[in-house]
Amino acid sequence: MKVAITGATGFVGQPLVRHLTENDSSVVVLTRNPQRARQLFPESEFPKLEVVAYNPRESGTWQESISGCTGVVNLAGAPIADHRWTADYKREILESRTLTTEKLVEAIAAAPERPQVLVNASAVGYYGTSETETFDEASSSGDDYLAQVCQAWEAAAHGVTETGTRLVIARFGIVLGRDGGALAKMLTPFQLFAGGPIGSGKQWVSWVHRQDVVRLIVQALSNPSLSGVYNATAPNPVRMQTLCQVLGEVISRPSWLPVPEFALELLLGEGAMVVLDGQQVLPKQTLAAGFDYDFPTVKPALENVLAQ
């Protein structure tokens, strides 16, 4: 395959690039920072990788690199839980997703040799939050801010279906990996013997091992029978209290000291809802498509991540 990727230098993008290139695929990295991309993916190690500078919010010559690609993977978007949600940053969260997606769809429509598939990221925030409900791909959307962002993001991606290009939307849960994401933030207090549940501990965490996310994206690229929405979550979500208890067991640290809600709210403001609220999401369509998880349960997933 030849695959164009936005967000290739990010938490999921980097292992995806490595997986594809190690399996003889060519990769086009669309990036705002070509220098950083070349540092991460040196030409000596990645001879089948092309770095293309782009402005994701503007049409330009970068769009020509889409033509001739087998598929496009769109992982671009400003971080959700790293900043306080000011009005300006909330606009950045939305526009970094919708405008980039619109320009990718525009590029696909104009390509003389159109890609066969667009794999577009979304998030389980689409469903809203609940301590009691269970959601799957057929569930309706929520009405909070993150749900609205996901709706607009997915709506922008749906424009590609008018070109005849297959669309796969992967709604990501909490992706577990050692060098980024939620787990990296949780590890430090645990290592300092100050770890414990965040907030009430009763909120659901719909998690997934990063390796399974990469494998699901590759399957979406290569299997023409896949289209529509798939939850990129493990089939066994857990409550925050359980996740923290298992994390403490795996690294031999106590997990009794809770992080109070007000501490996160002071730090992140409205953005604290990402970890204080949650949703129990099941990957019904992902399982029906025959996807076989390497890590369906949380303890082996954490053991693997933390052994790396």
Side-chain angles (χ1 to χ4, degrees), residues 15-133:
L16 176 63
V17 168
R18 290 187 177 275
H19 180 98
L20 289 169
T21 54
E22 288 170 0
N23 287 275
D24 296 323
S25 291
S26 301
V27 172
V28 177
V29 171
L30 298 170
T31 178
R32 292 175 297 174
N33 191 339
Q35 183 177 2
R36 180 168 183 265
R38 270 295 166 213
Q39 290 173 343
L40 288 170
F41 310 120
E43 193 169 358
S44 58
E45 189 179 347
F46 296 87
K48 299 180 75 173
L49 182 142
E50 177 185 2
V51 174
V52 175
Y54 86 138
N55 182 333
R57 304 184 189 200
E58 294 181 6
S59 304
T61 56
W62 67 266
Q63 292 174 304
E64 298 170 7
S65 64
I66 296 295
S67 183
C69 288
T70 313
V72 178
V73 179
N74 182 22
L75 302 173
I80 293 288
D82 289 358
H83 300 268
R84 175 173 283 274
W85 286 4
T86 62
D88 285 345
Y89 196 71
K90 287 174 77 171
R91 184 167 57 251
E92 175 66 16
I93 288 172
L94 175 64
E95 293 183 352
S96 64
R97 287 162 172 77
T98 56
L99 297 183
T100 301
T101 304
E102 289 169 3
K103 290 303 175 184
L104 281 175
V105 170
E106 179 181 282
I108 291 170
E113 297 179 64
R114 284 181 186 156
Q116 299 166 16
V117 58
L118 169 63
V119 181
N120 206 84
S122 184
V124 295
Y126 176 92
Y127 304 109
T129 62
S130 176
E131 281 191 11
T132 57
E133 289 187 64

Side-chain angles (χ1 to χ4, degrees), residues 9-15 79-82 172-189 198 205 207-208 210 240 243 247 268 274-275 302 305-306:
T9 61
F11 181 53
V12 172
Q14 288 186 48
I80 293 288
D82 289 358
F172 289 11
I174 301 297
V175 181
L176 300 183
R178 180 158 192 150
D179 56 340
L183 184 60
K185 294 180 175 67
M186 293 172 67
L187 271 176
T188 300
I198 299 172
V205 180
W207 63 275
V208 64
R210 184 167 53 171
M240 176 63 76
L243 176 66
L247 176 58
L268 295 174
V274 175
V275 287
L302 287 173
V305 166
L306 297 171

Side-chain angles (χ1 to χ4, degrees), residues 246-275:
V246 173
L247 176 58
E249 291 174 3
V250 170
I251 64 173
S252 300
R253 292 291 190 275
S255 58
W256 57 270
L257 190 64
V259 178
E261 291 189 13
F262 76 85
L264 274 179
E265 289 169 348
L266 283 174
L267 181 65
L268 295 174
E270 188 182 354
M273 68 173 289
V274 175
V275 287

